Amino acid sequence: MRERYRMAFGVETAQRLARMPYVASGVVCASATSRLWPLWRSRFQSALDQWDGDRLCDQSILNHVVYLENTAHHRLPSFCNWIGHLALPMADVAAGALVEPSYPRAPIHIVANSFTDKGAPRRLLRTDGKGTIECTLTLSSVRDALLAARAGT
């Protein structure tokens, strides 16, 4: 992350931001009148104007706005933006849902398909101990795999 911060804001700001917990931009909710939007737009443009890397990261900009602009925010629990490449969810076939891989296996509401190859199938362990289901981490693929597993196919 430090390198993405540096490319957008310079070394000094990168050092400050690298000490903060990272805020992911996969799920952001704010009213249309929130100060978040004009700040994000302004900081994004500033970063674009001085950018010296191959890929500008919107999350770097969001972290700048949250921490250095002191924008009020609330962190959602991990099941509201589950980062797939960090830990695969498990499949609860009976409930027809993806769940956290640790107890108490809370349902996951949003999964970020954060893999480089987003279309690659993933093998998700079943909570009932009956093996795995295979699917990509898209809503339709997960739904179809859970339905097929429930039907026993």
Side-chain angles (χ1 to χ4, degrees):
M1 256 315 92
R2 186 181 301 253
E3 182 60 12
R4 288 185 179 171
Y5 288 143
R6 185 203 60 75
M7 290 187 284
F9 305 112
V11 174
E12 184 180 318
T13 300
Q15 289 172 339
R16 289 176 63 198
L17 286 170
R19 293 189 297 260
M20 312 291 189
Y22 195 67
V23 177
S25 65
V27 177
V28 176
C29 179
S31 73
T33 59
S34 169
R35 70 188 288 266
L36 171 80
W37 303 121
L39 285 171
W40 198 352
R41 181 175 47 251
S42 171
R43 290 298 175 210
F44 213 114
Q45 188 59 57
S46 295
L48 281 171
D49 291 343
Q50 70 175 26
W51 188 251
D52 70 352
D54 355 330
R55 189 173 132 203
L56 182 56
C57 179
D58 62 330
Q59 292 179 138
S60 299
I61 312 301
L62 178 63
N63 279 263
H64 187 288
V65 169
V66 165
Y67 292 121
L68 301 184
E69 305 285 347
N70 297 314
T71 303
H73 67 287
H74 299 282
R75 293 180 182 279
L76 298 174
S78 59
F79 60 77
C80 291
N81 188 24
W82 192 264
I83 309 299
H85 80 275
L86 297 178
L88 283 173
M90 290 184 77
D92 184 335
V93 173
L98 297 183
V99 297
E100 294 180 342
S102 57
Y103 289 103
R105 305 223 194 282
I108 296 174
H109 301 288
I110 300 170
V111 176
N113 188 355
S114 51
F115 291 92
T116 302
D117 183 356
K118 298 186 183 315
R122 309 287 167 200
R123 289 190 177 279
L124 308 181
L125 291 173
R126 292 173 53 151
T127 58
D128 59 10
K130 296 180 182 176
T132 62
I133 67 167
E134 187 171 305
C135 58
T136 62
L137 292 181
T138 63
L139 179 60
S140 60
S141 180
V142 169
R143 183 185 55 233
D144 293 349
L146 286 168
L147 287 171
R150 182 180 272 173
T153 57

